[in-house]
Amino acid sequence: MPAYHSAFNDCQRQLGNMALLPVNTSFKGPAPKGDNPDIVDETLQYFKANVFFKNYEIKGPADRVLMYLTLYVTECLKKMQKCRTKNDAVKEMNVLGLASFALPGESGFPLNALYKKPENRGEADQMRNYLIQLRQETGLRLVEKVYSDGAGPSKWWMCFTKRKFMDKSLSAPGQ
């Protein structure tokens, strides 16, 4: 069974070699306003299937965004393990979304071989703002899915906390 790929791979706007896609969000950032479904919806829809893959063929610039967000969802689920209530999870996702992280080309970025380094400081700032915007929106939507029944985190989402997409992680070893 092949991995799921993004339907937005025909996008012309790019940051580095990642697609700059429209996102249906209220968070500030460089992503244009979009309609549903967007790349965040697509990531959450395909997460449970894609997380099992050790290899992922990139078919376009939107697949790089999908890969990054899949890794980010794994990090979010790890953080949500410690959260008992939806409010705790929202707070934790806000902190994680704004936390410091490595960009392509920096030493802590796990997929440097697949992503193009920003060409200048302005592009690096725009890429960081884009990823922050995506991280915030993904965290918010993930909380709604994981805590949809109101009784606590869904075991059908939390069972994926130990899975690593492509054997990679956005966090440093031991975190």
Side-chain angles (χ1 to χ4, degrees), residues 38-108:
D38 61 12
I39 190 68
V40 176
D41 292 324
E42 199 174 59
T43 300
L44 296 176
Q45 178 184 353
Y46 296 151
F47 173 78
K48 291 179 182 180
N50 280 351
V51 76
F52 287 103
F53 288 95
K54 302 285 184 220
N55 298 312
Y56 188 82
E57 179 187 359
I58 298 171
K59 294 193 175 184
D63 278 346
R64 287 183 177 84
V65 178
L66 185 69
M67 287 172 59
Y68 181 84
L69 290 179
T70 300
L71 291 171
Y72 182 69
V73 168
T74 303
E75 296 303 312
C76 290
L77 290 173
K78 287 179 191 173
K79 293 286 186 184
M80 281 188 212
Q81 271 185 313
K82 302 169 190 150
C83 301
R84 290 285 155 224
T85 66
K86 185 176 180 178
N87 286 339
D88 291 343
V90 168
K91 289 177 190 173
E92 195 68 36
M93 292 304 98
N94 285 334
V95 169
L96 185 61
L98 296 171
S100 178
F101 60 92
L103 288 177
E106 295 177 0
S107 62

Side-chain angles (χ1 to χ4, degrees), residues 1-20:
M1 184 175 122
Y4 289 99
H5 293 277
S6 178
F8 303 105
N9 275 326
D10 59 350
C11 179
Q12 300 302 314
R13 295 182 64 193
Q14 293 186 22
L15 284 172
N17 59 357
M18 288 177 24
L20 181 60

